[in-house]
Amino acid sequence: MGGRLIVFEGVEGCGKTSQMQLCAEWLESLGIPVILTREPGGTELGLHLRRLLLEKAEDKPIDEVTELLLYAADRSQHVAQELKPNLAAGKYILCDRYIYSTIAYQGYGRCLDMNLIHQLNHIATGGLTSDLTIWLDVDVEVGLARKGKDGVGLDRIEQETLAFHRRVQQGYADLAASSPTNIIRVDGNSSKEIIHHIIQGIVREHLNVS
Ligand code: TMP
């Protein structure tokens, strides 16, 4: 029996991590085998790439196309090493970010060519799409405030300008508007419990979990 790929997306500080944890605990309580993973950094190689991508190195800026290629490399390894084998083993995979992050951050945020991004996403995934993508929608300012005040402790991408993060948010909004069945918006401003309850309903409806 094949597994399922459920992806969580959103801007910085949108609450993905705690919702993924709650969702995993709920699915496990139903006897469903669950794997939690993330991009970048869901493999050993990916952890090295994550460090390169997110550490602050003001004196060594990363070229925008290089950044795109590093995210694609992380994804290619992740799909081959983690996602495909675990789906084949019948697991439910909860994945923190996938192809929509690249569209939102590198496409809308960095304004890179969308055709190039779609091609790289296709190469990196080998055509593997999610069964369900949940977008936790919070205001950019609210999310960044949750991450840290005055830029202290923020990583390379979190440190980007407010305008960059607003473009990323617009990217998710456009994706959800143009493919409402592929990426489902959940209001991330409610309490953790309410959001979890809404996510349970979406997973039940879309993946026939009872
Ligand atoms: P996070 O795992 O804490 O959400 O951090 C990952 C960061 O990497 C986040 O700022 C979003 C960014 N990112 C991209 O810019 N492009 C991508 O394709 C992915 C997967 C993440």
Side-chain angles (χ1 to χ4, degrees):
M1 196 193 80
R4 293 281 185 275
L5 177 58
I6 306 173
V7 175
F8 289 75
E9 291 278 1
V11 296
E12 314 299 330
C14 67
K16 290 178 280 104
T17 313
S18 39
Q19 287 305 324
M20 285 177 65
Q21 195 62 48
L22 290 170
C23 190
E25 285 165 15
W26 166 59
L27 290 170
E28 278 164 355
S29 76
L30 301 175
I32 294 172
V34 177
I35 297 270
L36 282 167
T37 187
R38 67 177 174 181
E39 292 190 0
T43 61
E44 207 179 320
L45 173 70
L47 281 175
H48 293 291
L49 295 173
R50 183 181 175 91
R51 189 179 50 74
L52 292 174
L53 280 161
L54 297 184
E55 75 182 2
K56 286 172 268 182
E58 284 81 5
D59 53 331
K60 288 178 253 157
I62 300 179
D63 169 76
E64 294 180 346
V65 175
T66 308
E67 178 185 276
L68 171 66
L69 293 169
L70 289 173
Y71 279 112
D74 169 78
R75 179 161 304 132
S76 173
Q77 185 71 12
H78 191 220
V79 168
Q81 191 182 321
E82 278 291 311
L83 301 189
K84 284 188 173 166
N86 280 306
L87 287 171
K91 306 268 175 67
Y92 271 54
I93 302 177
L94 304 187
C95 186
D96 191 335
R97 303 192 178 282
Y98 196 50
I99 54 172
Y100 291 128
S101 278
T102 317
I103 296 173
Y105 280 80
Q106 279 65 50
Y108 282 77
R110 300 279 188 233
C111 306
L112 292 181
D113 177 42
M114 265 322 164
N115 283 328
L116 174 63
I117 290 172
H118 291 316
Q119 280 176 38
L120 282 170
N121 272 342
H122 188 72
I123 291 168
T125 61
L128 178 72
T129 53
S130 66
D131 295 287
L132 174 63
T133 297
I134 290 167
W135 165 40
L136 288 173
D137 182 13
V138 296
D139 291 341
V140 164
E141 289 87 343
V142 172
L144 285 173
R146 284 182 190 165
K147 281 279 166 177
K149 301 239 181 300
D150 306 325
V152 178
L154 296 182
D155 68 31
R156 192 180 64 86
I157 305 254
E158 288 164 352
Q159 275 190 329
E160 277 295 338
T161 61
L162 196 54
F164 171 89
H165 292 292
R166 290 212 172 109
R167 287 197 297 278
V168 172
Q169 178 77 328
Q170 187 59 49
Y172 284 120
D174 287 356
L175 284 164
S178 62
S179 324
T181 50
N182 292 344
I183 171 163
I184 296 173
R185 179 186 174 275
V186 171
D187 183 351
N189 295 299
S190 311
S191 73
K192 265 187 198 172
E193 293 72 25
I194 290 176
I195 296 171
H196 175 53
H197 185 72
I198 293 169
I199 290 175
Q200 277 190 9
I202 293 171
V203 172
R204 282 206 168 95
E205 183 189 333
H206 286 260
L207 302 183
N208 281 332
V209 171
S210 49

